Amino acid sequence: MQTEQTNRIVEKIVEALGKGEIPWRKPWRSVAAHNAISGSEYRGVNALVLNLASHYPDPRFLTYKQAAALGAQVRKGEKGWPVIFYSTIKKSGENEGAENTGNEKAKTFRFMKHYTVFNASQCDGMPEMESAAAPVAQIVEADEIIKRMPRAPRIVDGSRACYIPSQDIVNMPPKTAHWTSASAYYDTMFHELTHATGHETRLERDLGGNFGSEKYAKEELVAEIGAQFLCQSSGINRAEVEENAVAYCQNWSRVLKNDPKMIFYAAAKAQAAHDFIMGKEKT
């Protein structure tokens, strides 16, 4: 059963649905994928592949030879990531067999090279990153909730926050990922753990919706409201966290055609998720 405090959270979100949009902010700053030797950031399709497709907490990438030059070794069985590099060469514009008058202009040709790079975390013997941020402050009550979650999913470090149902894994940027605050870190963790309660081995919600669909939007609302309930239970329900939650729910309310009734559906599912994580699952 919802308490007066959790009802207040839901009411605040419902009230905000009709107001102006507040763009959702990612509460951590990721370092862009870059070459471990030159320090140059990858651009274009390379940035797309290495920043989004890979989920490593370390933003450094390098070739097999570059790793060896640093005294590191790519671990056996690791698969690399394809990158492309464009360069140019100049060739004389003179025709074969024609007399060279010295007036021919050189022509520039563009060509593409393919390379395979590996993430620093795929290598043994790599030097530590020099610019890691200080870890976020520990909130003991929140850590205890995470630690004591029944039948918890595996939590691994990654470049973005997400729950992967097929592997039952919560992927989270580490505490050294330049989080805006400790509360932002735990709020995001609670969001992903709420998603994890929907797994078939727990509360068995439908997690199969495609991005942008109504089904997907419903689950996102469940996860965000569940995170707020858990923040409340751990004593970190701060204005910063609430503002971000309202903005997040506003975003998905557009997908749901601004149907405020859906919030109450999500709140009920979020309450069940909260109770599960807190060890209060109904038997």
Side-chain angles (χ1 to χ4, degrees):
M1 181 178 295
Q2 289 179 218
T3 65
E4 180 180 348
Q5 292 170 322
T6 57
N7 275 325
R8 183 183 64 81
I9 295 171
V10 176
E11 289 169 1
K12 185 168 184 176
I13 292 173
V14 172
E15 180 184 356
L17 287 176
K19 297 182 180 179
E21 178 183 349
I22 308 170
W24 183 60
R25 300 178 300 280
K26 185 178 71 171
W28 72 91
R29 179 169 61 84
S30 301
V31 178
H34 61 273
N35 185 269
I37 301 295
S38 67
S40 299
E41 292 186 5
Y42 291 98
R43 300 168 61 85
V45 68
N46 294 335
L48 183 65
V49 169
L50 300 182
N51 284 317
L52 299 181
S54 65
H55 306 301
Y56 301 104
D58 195 315
R60 298 173 297 169
F61 288 83
L62 69 176
T63 65
Y64 189 94
K65 288 184 178 180
Q66 287 177 326
L70 290 178
Q73 175 65 49
V74 177
R75 286 191 295 275
K76 186 177 181 180
E78 293 285 356
K79 294 183 178 180
W81 297 85
V83 296
I84 57 176
F85 173 74
Y86 290 98
S87 187
T88 57
I89 58 173
K90 288 186 177 181
K91 289 186 177 181
S92 172
E94 61 186 12
N95 296 324
E96 287 187 21
E99 182 179 354
N100 187 351
T101 63
N103 294 323
E104 296 84 355
K105 292 183 179 180
K107 292 184 178 180
T108 301
F109 296 88
R110 198 167 186 229
F111 66 97
M112 181 174 62
K113 289 184 178 180
H114 295 262
Y115 292 94
T116 298
V117 295
F118 298 86
N119 185 263
S121 62
Q122 294 178 283
C123 307
D124 293 322
M126 281 290 294
E128 295 292 329
M129 285 191 295
E130 297 179 358
S131 58
V136 298
Q138 181 184 26
I139 299 178
V140 176
E141 294 86 349
D143 279 328
E144 285 298 312
I145 289 173
I146 296 167
K147 180 180 178 181
R148 294 179 181 178
M149 177 180 174
R151 308 199 302 276
R154 188 159 62 95
I155 300 173
V156 300
D157 287 346
S159 60
R160 61 175 181 162
C162 63
Y163 172 62
I164 307 172
S166 61
Q167 302 176 47
D168 196 22
I169 287 176
V170 166
N171 201 75
M172 275 287 292
K175 289 184 176 181
T176 55
H178 301 278
W179 290 89
T180 56
S181 66
S183 61
Y185 170 83
Y186 288 104
D187 177 37
T188 304
M189 175 68 83
F190 287 151
H191 180 104
E192 302 308 333
L193 289 179
T194 301
H195 276 313
T197 64
H199 192 266
E200 60 185 8
T201 62
R202 300 183 186 96
L203 299 181
E204 201 172 2
R205 292 192 305 276
D206 188 348
L207 303 178
N210 295 323
F211 183 85
S213 67
E214 181 175 326
K215 188 186 298 185
Y216 187 98
K218 286 181 182 179
E219 177 59 25
E220 287 303 311
L221 289 171
V222 171
E224 190 57 30
I225 297 174
Q228 299 315 297
F229 291 170
L230 290 164
C231 283
Q232 173 66 45
S233 293
S234 57
I236 57 172
N237 199 1
R238 296 171 47 184
E240 171 198 355
V241 173
E242 288 189 354
E243 181 184 6
N244 204 34
V246 168
Y248 193 84
C249 290
Q250 282 180 327
N251 181 52
W252 288 111
S253 72
R254 293 199 310 272
V255 179
L256 299 173
K257 299 180 180 179
N258 292 319
D259 179 7
K261 294 181 181 179
M262 190 56 64
I263 292 296
F264 296 101
Y265 161 86
K269 297 295 184 181
Q271 187 69 56
H274 165 274
D275 293 347
F276 182 97
I277 293 171
M278 296 292 292
K280 300 178 182 178
E281 180 186 12
K282 293 181 181 180
T283 57

